[in-house]
Amino acid sequence: MKKIQPILFIRSRTNSLFIRLIAGFLFIVLLLASLTLYSVSVSKNNVKQEVVKYNTSLLDNTKDSYEKHLNLVKQQMLLFFTSDEIIRLRKKPDNVNYPMIIREIARWTTVPYLYINNIVFYSKRDGLVLEKGTSTNAEAMFDVFSVSKEYPLEFWRRQFGESYTYRIFPSAPMANTMFHDSPQLLGELIPIIIKSIDNHDFYMVVFLDAGKMYNAFHQSIYKDFMIYDDLGKPLFGRTEQESFPAFEELRMLGKNGAFIRDGKYYFLNTGEQTGFTYVSRVPVDRIAAQTRINITLLVIILAAIALSILFSFLFAARINDPLKKVIESIRRMNDEPPYRSKIKEFNIISGQIHGNRMLFRQLSFINHLKAIRNHESHAPKLDFTGKPFAFVLFQIQPDMNELHTPEVVQNWLYYLRIFIDSKLKPDFPDSLTFQIERDQILSLVFTERQEDVVALLVQMKGVFDQDREYGIVTMAVTSAYSASDQLTAAYEEAQELAGERLLTGETQIIRERGVAPVALGFSPDQNKELEANLKAGNAAQLAALIEQHFARWHRHIPTAASLARFTESVAGKIRNAVTPFPLDPEETDAVLGKTGELIGNCRTVKELERLLAEWVTRTAEAVREKKEEKHPITSQVVDYINAHLADEIYLDVLAAKLKMSSGYLSSYFKAKTGMNIVDYINETRIAKAASLLDDDRLKIRDAARSVGYQNITSFNRMFKKYTGLTPSEYRKRNEAN
């Protein structure tokens, strides 16, 4: 046993994190020292070759980037040039939608990786020019909007006579001189002209931003760079001092891809696709400086090795102690604040552990809050008997317009929660704030004075008012509770209070329940009027009905929940009235849309009224369009009915005129219109009578006789059936309007 103990002791020590860190650091230091000494001993020529190889590789990458980009632009622009709209523009420019082509040009110029500054279509026949901003003529385009000394208007006109179909021209600076006193520089641009084989009187010019391409593709730290086209002409270049030699001289000296001339190292490479020659230039003395290693560097390396060994011991010792404390914190899982170290990673680990612990506590709190049973035996106990508390529920109604994406809204809700917590903590240090639903933030405040909480919420209201463009906040404050077993009751009270908010478009603070809810639904007569006008397609009467109904609430606005339920019920009535005839379910869905989402987005009663008015109006218009669809037989029936409204109309007589049986005529008419002939006759007579009653000089009895009703009682009953109003009520309402 005594012999084994030293072995176990040594093994235990070698398993120590401290010993392993020291051994690892020393191994790394020795390995780095060996590699460094070896690198110092290598030949300067080899280092120089590597530097040259590196610069050659940079030029290869630059060349590949330019070649791929030019090929990509060529392919994409050829597709654009041969699209249907551009072909029509070449052949029949008068029948082309210019704004659509301009928008397409603008879309191409906004693609960041294409580096396209502008796309121009130029027609010789009428001098028409289309570009990303507008349609214009050639004089305005090339003498004002895109002026270049190298490319005057005459140059662009000459291109109609050239026989090529695709050519890249040298870069040149261009400017917009619309304001002569302060011309706007467009940058250094590379023109690419594309023409069709069969029509040389029309071509497309693609202006590439040479500066942006240079910044994106040129990888060397040295600026000297030149591109020669396949004919040896300079296409684009950047130089710090003297200009580049002539292309023929470069080609003669640079057969192997690199050469030295006048103290400069030249690197050449030719693109396989374009035939362009790419040249970069580096001063020879700078390459030589990269290969020079002196005694000072050697001393620095040795000193770095010694300091590395020293710091290895110090660093390993500093890691060992805080790591032990973090491990101890994991073991205890207590409620103490997270351990703080001078090492960032340990703080992250400790903070993550503490955050997970707090998240677990919040989850348990929400389960307790919503009376969700938790079977975990190690769940935190929520017990604060004798410590009064109240809930503040922040109900948020985000403004979901096209500018506020879901991501923007979520960021706003996050900062909203942070702001609420920062305002409550100074006055109520023990308060807890967290988001319990997508549109709800809940704060638990330990206090027995509701007035103190309300006073703080009044201050916060000013901030929420400034954020109304993002959404409306409603703050519901519960009464004070005394023990943790009342959490669920307090939460339910908070939800009930939040339901009392009004659609005023303002930030609200709710402390108590309102009066008994007001009945918001339509009366039976109004329901009949709604259904009748929907089936008849009377948009104006439906809009007036909605307006009159909402006018009742201008002084005493119902709660948002009541209005939402009323609106949902009206949407159901609309759907039931017109589905499945005259509208099928898909057509009704297209009119009503996502009802719940649209109702939830309404922030005021007026917005809700406009939504309902839009629903009934669009539904009536859709019904009327359906009714106005023409069918040969039904059209003859309708014409006959309209011509004989004042007479007795018999189905047998009508069928005989159309040379068919009365049963077949009745079935056919109902299949095409959704109603039988008798109902259609009555509806048409009532619609005609309603238009006659608009003239207050005409007696009701005379209006009834003119549409075929000799019995005034029968007329009154039928009028109310189809309009929801008696003739007298209908006339009074029109007079009131």
Side-chain angles (χ1 to χ4, degrees), residues 197-215:
I197 299 175
D198 56 346
N199 183 3
H200 282 236
D201 291 341
F202 179 90
Y203 63 78
M204 175 173 72
V205 187
V206 181
F207 291 98
L208 296 181
D209 194 318
K212 290 183 178 179
M213 291 170 61
Y214 172 79
N215 294 333

Side-chain angles (χ1 to χ4, degrees), residues 548 693 700 725-737:
Q548 290 173 5
L693 290 176
I700 294 176
L725 301 171
T726 65
S728 300
E729 292 171 343
Y730 179 83
R731 174 164 278 178
K732 288 178 181 178
R733 193 185 70 175
N734 285 354
E735 291 173 355
N737 290 337

Side-chain angles (χ1 to χ4, degrees), residues 521-542:
F522 287 131
S523 66
D525 289 343
Q526 288 174 323
N527 282 325
K528 289 182 180 179
E529 182 181 359
L530 176 70
E531 182 177 356
N533 284 308
L534 282 170
K535 290 182 176 180
N538 298 327
Q541 289 86 337
L542 289 166

Side-chain angles (χ1 to χ4, degrees), residues 177-198:
T177 61
M178 185 167 57
F179 301 103
H180 298 286
D181 297 336
S182 56
Q184 177 186 359
L185 296 179
L186 302 178
E188 188 173 354
L189 307 182
I190 298 177
I192 301 177
I193 295 181
I194 301 174
K195 297 191 289 187
S196 63
I197 299 175
D198 56 346

Side-chain angles (χ1 to χ4, degrees), residues 52 81 85 106 159 189 375 404 414 426 433 476 509 656 672 730:
V52 171
F81 189 67
E85 284 297 324
Q159 303 313 306
L189 307 182
H375 293 283
H404 297 157
Y414 170 76
T433 299
I509 301 175
K672 295 300 182 182
Y730 179 83

